[in-house]
Amino acid sequence: MAPRELKQQRSTRTRAAILRAGAEVFAEAGFAGASVSRIARRADLTLGALYFHFQSKEELAREIMRAQPTQVPVAPDARGLQAAVDTSVLWATRLLEDPVLLAGARLVMDQEYFVDPHEINSYQQWVDVLLPFLHEAADNGDLRDEVAPEALARLVVNAVTGLQMNEQLSTGRRHLPDRVREMWQFLLPLIATGKSTVHIAEPLRPSGT
């Protein structure tokens, strides 16, 4: 393998190590409590190596927030309203052990410190994830005529955000997947037409829960 390729591979591994270490520290300490030196120690790197990839703690936090949707791979055959349901339940399930998603959950209230007002924030990011599924559901006749996909996407994101905050305080998020499923059990009869065949699958439990 050429030296340049080896260098690129090392750089990719180093960047991934920083992202994981940053996610773990942000999840544990929040934005204010996390320091660049602590993240570097967690990644077993020098401060210089960390700053080579990320110029500041703010830049690292932004990158972790942008990575949130990539941690929730929806089944390729999922469509419309079913895909929206599956995405939210899978997010709640993977959140229990995925450091990037845990960091996102912890950082969601601190975005004013590192997200530019002109950037897409975490709420809008998840709205944009759900919106194509909900537009597809509307086009397929699975949503009632009075249900606007944009309003529904905002409602779901805000509700799920509130659920995870409450569950963090009450159970350490152990029951978050069940709470998200309950939300959809109440919501689906209000938004879906009679032709909808959406089901709410039992979440697959991460290890140790």
Side-chain angles (χ1 to χ4, degrees):
M1 185 175 293
R4 170 178 273 184
E5 292 178 346
L6 287 173
K7 185 176 181 179
Q8 288 176 338
Q9 287 186 359
R10 284 196 299 269
S11 178
T12 298
R13 287 195 298 269
T14 299
R15 185 178 178 87
I18 295 170
L19 285 169
R20 183 175 182 86
E24 291 174 352
V25 174
F26 284 133
E28 295 165 5
F31 183 78
S35 67
V36 175
S37 58
R38 181 176 174 183
I39 294 168
R41 287 195 302 272
R42 182 68 62 90
D44 196 23
L45 296 168
T46 65
L47 280 173
L50 189 150
Y51 281 123
F52 177 81
H53 290 274
F54 297 97
Q55 296 182 359
S56 66
K57 181 173 75 170
E58 289 79 5
E59 183 181 347
L60 178 56
R62 286 194 294 270
E63 185 67 19
I64 288 170
M65 294 301 284
R66 293 189 192 107
Q68 298 291 301
T70 65
Q71 307 301 111
V72 187
V74 179
D77 57 342
R79 295 288 185 273
L81 192 51
Q82 185 67 64
V85 172
D86 291 349
T87 297
S88 59
V89 174
L90 182 58
W91 168 84
T93 305
R94 293 181 69 109
L95 178 67
L96 302 180
E97 60 179 14
D98 186 312
V100 174
L101 292 178
L102 282 168
R106 184 69 185 267
L107 290 171
V108 70
M109 296 302 295
D110 294 333
Q111 294 180 82
E112 62 186 285
Y113 299 114
F114 59 87
V115 173
D116 187 285
H118 302 293
E119 284 189 279
I120 294 177
N121 60 36
S122 177
Y123 299 104
Q124 189 59 47
Q125 177 177 252
W126 284 110
V127 167
D128 290 345
V129 169
L130 295 179
L131 204 48
F133 300 140
L134 297 178
H135 275 301
E136 184 178 28
D139 292 341
N140 292 340
D142 290 329
L143 290 181
R144 296 178 184 271
D145 291 340
E146 65 272 21
V147 177
E150 292 81 2
L152 179 57
R154 290 192 297 269
L155 173 65
V156 170
V157 171
N158 287 327
V160 170
T161 300
L163 285 172
Q164 80 85 9
M165 291 179 178
N166 181 69
E167 282 300 304
Q168 166 59 17
L169 293 174
S170 58
T171 71
R173 302 191 186 95
R174 289 194 309 276
H175 302 307
L176 180 59
D178 296 321
R179 300 293 86 84
V180 173
R181 292 180 68 255
E182 288 175 354
M183 176 198 74
W184 282 112
Q185 287 168 351
F186 283 107
L187 194 56
L188 284 174
L190 302 175
I191 64 171
T193 62
K195 64 173 288 188
S196 173
T197 58
V198 173
H199 66 278
I200 309 170
E202 289 286 341
L204 296 174
R205 297 296 180 184
S207 58
T209 62

